[in-house]
Amino acid sequence: MGEDGAGAALSGPEDQEEPQIELLPDFCPIVFNPANQIIHPARYWAMFRNWKGQPLTKEEEPPEWLYRDMDETAGQVLEVLDEELQALKEAFFQATGCQGCSHVIPLAARLLEQYGDQIADKSTMAKMVGTNKAYSMARTPVLRSNQGVMPHPTHRVVTDDIGWGLCVLVSISERLEAMGMRTNTTMMRMLIEWHQKLMGKECTSTTAGSVVGTARSWCF
């Protein structure tokens, strides 16, 4: 081959590897996906857990970046959420036999499998999320004014992962409990209650503690 590369083999579309699509047996890998629906609530709560309803000063502002340098408080909450999710998935599998549950792996394993070479520090859950290059450019959603910053109650990081995430998971837990299969969703419920106050919505009953927000009522 010459220096100008004239002798190099040309590759056309026929030489490129085609993407492979795997058809999963059901929607369980989506419903129980250990991703945004547990990562966002843990991180956002940790950022604003001491917020008292007033704009935060410059010194009190949360980090500009949503995932970078996740603190260990958020990481520990995230670990508990993942444990609750995995236990719920196992109970659902026992009740239904849905084979898609076998595709739902713990969050740490999923991060390593999907982003392994992009994660700089794998020592803790917080470090795995916070040093993941693939996550590095997402900004923290806030409302900014002359007085400072406040949480953003209508941003999808807040609304989607509670109404279409944790509320769905807790609702599944309640249905399983009605069948005599009890699962622990203590952390999920705590985060639903914290976020619902932020959003001005009622997702759980304060008397019975059950989820009252359904996919339909959440839209109104």
Side-chain angles (χ1 to χ4, degrees):
M1 181 177 67
E3 292 182 1
D4 60 358
L10 299 178
S11 61
E14 66 278 1
D15 300 316
Q16 298 177 4
E17 184 177 348
E18 292 291 333
Q20 300 296 315
I21 298 177
E22 179 184 0
L23 182 62
L24 297 176
D26 49 54
F27 285 98
C28 290
I30 297 174
V31 174
F32 296 108
N33 186 26
N36 289 354
Q37 64 180 339
I38 59 174
I39 297 175
H40 288 163
R43 176 61 161 162
Y44 213 67
W45 169 83
M47 283 180 164
F48 289 102
R49 64 186 183 276
N50 296 319
W51 179 63
K52 304 300 183 183
Q54 299 299 318
L56 300 174
T57 64
K58 184 68 176 178
E59 294 72 25
E60 298 171 320
E61 281 189 26
E64 177 183 3
W65 305 99
L66 182 59
Y67 301 106
R68 291 187 201 177
D69 301 320
M70 175 183 280
D71 63 20
E72 292 300 327
T73 298
Q76 290 167 10
V77 169
L78 182 54
E79 288 180 333
V80 174
L81 284 174
D82 190 44
E83 290 172 0
E84 291 182 355
L85 183 149
Q86 296 299 326
L88 179 60
K89 173 211 64 177
E90 290 298 331
F92 187 81
F93 174 71
Q94 293 175 22
T96 65
C98 288
Q99 295 301 309
C101 291
S102 64
H103 294 269
V104 181
I105 61 177
L107 175 57
R110 187 187 70 80
L111 289 172
L112 291 173
E113 181 178 296
Q114 190 170 354
Y115 303 109
D117 59 346
Q118 299 185 69
I119 299 174
D121 188 339
K122 304 177 177 68
S123 59
T124 67
M125 180 71 79
K127 293 292 193 297
M128 289 176 67
V129 174
T131 66
N132 185 352
K133 186 177 180 180
Y135 288 171
S136 63
M137 297 309 294
R139 295 183 184 274
T140 303
V142 298
L143 293 177
R144 188 175 297 277
S145 69
N146 293 334
Q147 287 74 41
V149 301
M150 297 176 67
H152 198 319
T154 60
H155 193 278
R156 66 180 184 85
V157 164
V158 176
T159 59
D160 288 8
D161 297 310
I162 298 300
W164 307 112
L166 295 188
C167 280
V168 173
L169 295 175
V170 171
S171 180
I172 292 172
S173 172
E174 291 176 350
R175 291 174 181 268
L176 289 173
E177 185 171 357
M179 299 168 57
M181 303 178 69
R182 186 177 181 84
T183 58
N184 182 19
T185 55
T186 302
M187 188 63 75
M188 291 184 187
R189 291 174 184 274
M190 183 279 284
L191 289 170
I192 290 173
E193 291 173 5
W194 185 86
H195 282 81
Q196 74 179 5
K197 292 177 182 177
L198 177 64
M199 292 183 285
K201 291 178 177 286
E202 185 178 14
C203 314
T204 59
S205 168
T206 55
T207 54
S210 62
V211 171
V212 296
T214 63
R216 183 175 183 277
S217 64
W218 183 256
C219 300
F220 296 91

